[in-house]
Amino acid sequence: MEDIAGRYEILDKDNKFIFGKLYRARDLEEDTIVFIQLIKDNIYINEKFLPNLIDESTMLAQINSHHIAKILDIGIYLTDEERCFYVVSEYFSGIELRKVIKGNYMDLNSIVKITKKILMALKTAYSHNLYHGSLSEDNIFVDEKYNIKIYDFCLTKANKGVNIRKDNSIAFLSPHQLNINYTDYESDFFSLGIILFDAIFKKMPFGIGKDEQSMLKLIDKGIDWNSVAINNENIALVNIVKKLIRRTEKYSSVNEILIDLSKFMYVKADIAPKDIKISEIDNDNTVLNKTDNKFMQKLMLLAMTIIILITTISQFK
């Protein structure tokens, strides 16, 4: 399986082809490098998935964010045994977040950098009435400078809010996705909490169930917090994780998460503005002038926290 639709030549060679995985490919018509994935048709996929995905991808093209991958082409691919959908997306020179986490390339600073960029992507998408619905460590790509690109936007929404159950995705689904196939913004927050827990502690908080019912039982059982190393350095970030994945008193907006994240940034003085561009909290493309002065770092962080609070409060007036 190396040539898709007579146009896309898969460049990455796996011993076993993995459905849902983003593979590097060459667009023979445009002579460009792209990402392509094959999605196996299954019982969860709606009959109008493909036309809906075409419509959603058109809307996605209008969203201006460096952190959200555009969809370039969509179609049907038939193998000898199965009917599949192929999705072609823009290329990003990076690797899956899963590999970054498992390779121990992340300290708390880099976790915060990546988290902030994920939140900015979500905030931009939400302003266009688009949730993700299938956020995982396999569709977030990271480069050597910890820039990110998020893939698979539109897939769940095009499927009328039902997650399509790509490989390795079940452990990132929220309880209401597992239970009643309902997806909303809170589903993304829950998925982000799972990702953050794994990034901090190098383990999945609830484990991985073999199906929906077993996964729900693992979530209901809860997390054994005594089995992980919580200390003064990471406790504020852990508290964010707890609020992301619990079922009551949860976050209701991206701004609320950014406020708590900014408090963590303020306390952790070794996170410099050159690593975290705080001004991106309000604009994905704005760049804050950098300074190495420790006092100015804390002053700006405090100021941004106040601005976010005012912004959040004003939204409820």
Side-chain angles (χ1 to χ4, degrees):
M1 189 185 298
E2 297 183 356
D3 190 341
I4 307 297
R7 176 174 177 175
Y8 302 105
E9 177 189 5
I10 295 180
L11 302 177
D12 299 324
K13 302 293 192 300
D14 277 346
N15 293 330
K16 179 181 178 182
F17 188 86
I18 302 174
F19 288 95
K21 179 179 178 179
L22 288 155
Y23 284 95
R24 193 168 54 95
R26 182 179 298 279
D27 182 342
L28 299 176
E29 289 188 13
E30 300 291 338
D31 192 25
T32 56
I33 302 299
V34 296
F35 274 135
I36 190 168
Q37 60 177 312
L38 291 184
I39 299 171
K40 191 186 303 185
D41 199 0
N42 61 49
I43 60 173
Y44 295 100
I45 295 181
N46 187 277
E47 60 181 6
K48 294 185 178 180
F49 172 69
L50 185 60
N52 288 345
L53 184 56
I54 293 172
D55 291 341
E56 292 294 339
S57 64
T58 301
M59 295 182 63
L60 182 68
Q62 301 172 14
I63 296 179
N64 183 25
S65 172
H66 296 302
H67 306 315
I68 297 177
K70 300 289 193 296
I71 294 176
L72 306 176
D73 191 17
I74 304 162
I76 294 176
Y77 179 77
L78 300 176
T79 69
D80 293 336
E81 302 175 350
E82 297 169 295
R83 177 176 182 261
C84 305
F85 304 97
Y86 68 82
V87 179
V88 180
S89 303
E90 64 176 301
Y91 177 72
F92 177 73
S93 182
I95 61 175
E96 297 97 323
L97 179 56
R98 179 186 301 277
K99 294 179 179 178
V100 179
I101 292 173
K102 301 310 178 188
N104 292 319
Y105 299 123
M106 299 179 71
D107 56 12
L108 289 182
N109 289 7
S110 57
I111 291 172
V112 169
K113 284 193 286 187
I114 289 173
T115 302
K116 190 188 73 68
K117 291 172 182 177
I118 293 172
L119 287 168
M120 289 315 308
L122 293 177
K123 183 175 181 179
T124 301
Y126 295 167
S127 69
H128 290 79
N129 195 32
L130 177 63
Y131 53 73
H132 192 285
S134 56
L135 202 64
S136 75
E137 298 168 355
D138 293 316
N139 52 33
I140 301 172
F141 276 63
V142 184
D143 70 9
E144 69 280 359
K145 295 183 179 179
Y146 293 99
N147 296 309
I148 71 160
K149 186 81 74 174
I150 303 178
Y151 291 80
D152 292 349
F153 269 101
C154 298
L155 295 189
T156 300
K157 190 170 184 183
N159 201 42
K160 295 190 174 181
V162 178
N163 183 276
I164 63 176
R165 307 303 201 271
K166 285 173 58 175
D167 288 349
N168 299 320
S169 67
I170 192 169
F172 297 93
L173 299 185
S174 66
H176 48 276
Q177 286 180 297
L178 294 166
N179 193 28
I180 58 173
N181 279 319
Y182 175 74
T183 302
D184 57 6
Y185 303 127
E186 289 183 3
S187 304
D188 291 338
F189 295 166
F190 185 89
S191 300
L192 179 59
I194 301 295
I195 293 169
L196 275 176
F197 187 98
D198 192 22
I200 297 168
F201 300 116
K202 305 299 184 289
K203 61 185 293 187
M204 297 296 285
F206 305 108
I208 303 176
K210 65 180 185 297
D211 54 31
E212 283 81 356
Q213 292 305 313
S214 61
M215 195 67 233
L216 280 169
K217 288 180 180 178
L218 289 172
I219 294 174
D220 288 338
K221 184 179 179 181
I223 300 171
D224 181 8
W225 292 103
N226 293 322
S227 66
V228 294
I230 300 176
N231 51 49
N232 290 334
E233 187 178 17
N234 66 21
I235 188 169
L237 200 55
V238 171
N239 286 336
I240 293 175
V241 173
K242 289 181 177 181
K243 193 169 180 178
L244 283 167
I245 61 180
R246 67 191 182 198
R247 297 193 180 187
T248 59
E249 299 180 6
K250 301 175 290 185
Y251 288 112
S252 61
S253 71
V254 171
N255 278 348
E256 289 183 10
I257 308 172
L258 286 168
I259 289 171
D260 283 353
L261 193 63
S262 67
K263 292 175 184 177
F264 175 78
M265 292 159 59
Y266 177 77
V267 172
K268 199 173 187 325
D270 60 332
I271 300 179
K274 65 180 180 180
D275 294 328
I276 301 296
K277 296 176 183 176
I278 309 162
S279 60
E280 291 183 10
I281 289 176
D282 288 324
N283 191 319
D284 207 20
N285 300 312
T286 303
V287 177
L288 187 64
N289 292 331
K290 301 175 183 178
T291 177
D292 292 324
N293 185 280
K294 290 291 183 181
F295 175 76
M296 287 302 297
Q297 291 176 26
K298 290 195 172 185
L299 184 61
M300 287 189 297
L301 286 166
L302 180 60
M304 287 310 304
T305 301
I306 295 172
I307 291 172
I308 297 171
L309 283 168
I310 294 173
T311 303
T312 304
I313 293 171
S314 65
Q315 291 178 347
F316 292 96
K317 288 185 177 180

